[in-house]
Amino acid sequence: MPVAIYPGSFDPLTNGHLSLIQRGLQMFDRLIVAIAVNPKKTPLFTLEERRELIREACPEERVEVDAFQGLLVDYAKQRRVNVLLRGLRAVSDFEYEFQLANMNRKLAPGIETVFMMTGEDYFYISSQLVREVASLGGDVAGLVPDNVLAKLQAKFARKP
Ligand code: ADP
């Protein structure tokens, strides 16, 4: 299959996302990692920071990093891509992802969502948990790529 869009907030990129990207690259010729911009939310990392962190952690030419606002299906149509890649961690993800995939299919019947699971080492990792643990001074080494770890440590460094 030629191209898929892997959308998400990536605030920040975790090893769970990376595992999905690596698996996705075995199935698709190219992946567009699409950062969802939500003007109503204040992310921990700016769009530019998120973009750069993903770019550094995924130097493969077959990975493109982009951003979009508004409906994912509109973005997919604009990019002329009809496959969306999403990850499933646990049963808890299923309900939301099921709703989302069906809503997207209703909005754009030609666009399919493909689900992949991460390796068992990564299934419990979420960006939100990583942000919370890092903000409280917990060690998130091994859960995020090294460049993200360094950025998190810089952001939450204790002021003397
Ligand atoms: P969102 O804010 O839309 O949930 P995320 O950036 O958190 O976006 O995640 C993007 C996609 O990657 C989602 O489909 C999510 O289920 C999946 N994902 C995130 N972390 C993991 C993980 N550790 N294992 C598998 N899938 C994951």
Side-chain angles (χ1 to χ4, degrees):
M1 280 194 271
V3 194
I5 292 175
Y6 177 37
S9 313
F10 306 106
D11 186 32
L13 181 76
T14 68
N15 284 342
H17 296 131
L18 269 185
S19 160
L20 218 78
I21 292 170
Q22 298 307 336
R23 278 154 199 255
L25 284 175
Q26 292 176 14
M27 251 181 101
F28 300 99
D29 291 339
R30 286 197 306 118
L31 274 187
I32 301 173
V33 177
I35 305 170
V37 177
N38 183 349
K40 289 187 201 138
K41 280 194 196 162
T42 311
L44 176 63
F45 290 101
T46 65
L47 173 60
E48 278 324 307
E49 285 174 317
R50 283 179 280 164
R51 198 196 286 273
E52 200 177 313
L53 289 170
I54 301 171
R55 196 59 286 168
E56 285 168 0
C58 307
E60 292 93 339
E61 243 177 55
R62 295 195 290 132
V63 177
E64 177 188 335
V65 185
D66 196 11
F68 72 99
Q69 243 190 70
L71 285 178
L72 174 59
V73 289
D74 288 343
Y75 171 72
K77 283 183 198 161
Q78 179 209 321
R79 295 297 314 258
R80 297 181 185 280
V81 173
N82 55 16
V83 182
L84 307 174
L85 176 65
R86 293 288 287 178
L88 282 179
R89 276 163 290 205
V91 185
S92 50
D93 275 345
F94 180 81
E95 179 125 7
Y96 174 67
E97 293 290 343
F98 179 76
Q99 286 182 348
L100 210 61
N102 280 288
M103 178 60 82
N104 282 335
R105 191 158 46 206
K106 184 165 166 42
L107 293 171
I111 296 178
E112 276 300 334
T113 307
V114 170
F115 292 98
M116 293 185 109
M117 289 181 220
T118 41
E120 67 271 19
D121 293 343
Y122 302 124
F123 76 93
Y124 64 96
I125 305 174
S126 71
S127 297
Q128 190 193 343
L129 204 57
V130 162
R131 287 197 303 271
E132 270 175 36
V133 171
S135 74
L136 297 170
D139 184 10
V140 292
L143 308 186
V144 294
D146 288 345
N147 63 336
V148 173
L149 183 65
K151 271 267 184 196
L152 281 168
Q153 285 169 341
K155 260 205 201 275
F156 295 118
R158 294 239 171 90
K159 308 270 180 318

